[in-house]
Amino acid sequence: MKFLILNGPNLNLIGKREPELYGVTDFLVYLESLRNFYSQHEIAYFQSNAEGDLIDQLHEKALDCDGILLNAGAYTHTSIALADAIKAIDTPVIEVHISNVGAREAFRRRSYMAVVCRGTISGFGLLSYELALLSFLTPGE
Ligand code: DQA
């Protein structure tokens, strides 16, 4: 199967940024281990700090993959445009967060992604991405 991990603003700094919240592992190092472990699947990756670039990726890659793992970073809490883009495509999207957004500042408890995503995985560190991937790989009832 083919998947896309789409990371939003400031997630290029994972490993260096607020390590007490987001850990010390560089995202690209983690991605390599994920790709090695799930080598029978294709895991594409795109990160941008720009909202429009993330929307373009959703439009362009949707037809080409079976599932999208989206960590929209702070756009999670602000972007109606990203939510509309998810609504506009048929490919299922899972909302992913490294930190437990429900246990942080009140403004992080509102997600514009949640209502348009298949589900949300939040608070398990980088493992959140693998859990989202597993949910795509696990047959439904
Ligand atoms: C985040 C949580 C967001 O609230 C924050 O703005 C981020 C990272 C997470 O993965 O925990 O940039 O999406």
Side-chain angles (χ1 to χ4, degrees), residues 6-132:
L6 199 51
N7 270 350
N10 301 307
L11 293 166
N12 51 314
L13 297 180
I14 290 304
K16 299 182 195 80
R17 165 194 181 203
E18 298 180 87
E20 66 290 354
L21 278 173
Y22 302 118
V24 293
T25 306
D26 186 287
F27 191 80
L28 294 179
V29 171
Y30 172 73
L31 179 64
E32 199 187 336
S33 65
L34 200 64
R35 280 176 170 155
N36 286 339
F37 199 79
Y38 294 94
S39 56
Q40 68 276 41
H41 302 289
E42 207 178 297
I43 306 174
Y45 174 64
F46 183 85
Q47 188 278 330
S48 177
N49 296 318
E51 193 176 13
D53 289 349
L54 298 168
I55 292 167
D56 286 345
Q57 281 293 305
L58 285 168
H59 294 175
E60 284 164 24
K61 296 282 162 58
L63 287 177
D64 194 38
C65 64
D66 299 295
I68 297 172
L69 287 59
L70 171 68
N71 185 345
Y75 290 141
T76 303
H77 320 295
T78 61
S79 181
I80 296 167
L82 259 178
D84 281 350
I86 296 168
K87 260 201 264 183
I89 62 173
D90 291 329
T91 310
V93 179
I94 295 184
E95 178 186 3
V96 174
H97 298 287
I98 299 165
S99 66
N100 181 357
V101 285
R104 296 181 60 190
E105 302 96 320
F107 66 83
R108 290 185 207 276
R109 282 183 220 136
R110 177 170 76 177
S111 167
Y112 284 104
M113 305 303 114
V115 282
V116 291
C117 284
R118 177 179 279 188
T120 300
I121 298 183
S122 174
F124 295 93
L126 292 175
L127 178 65
S128 293
Y129 291 90
E130 186 174 355
L131 295 174

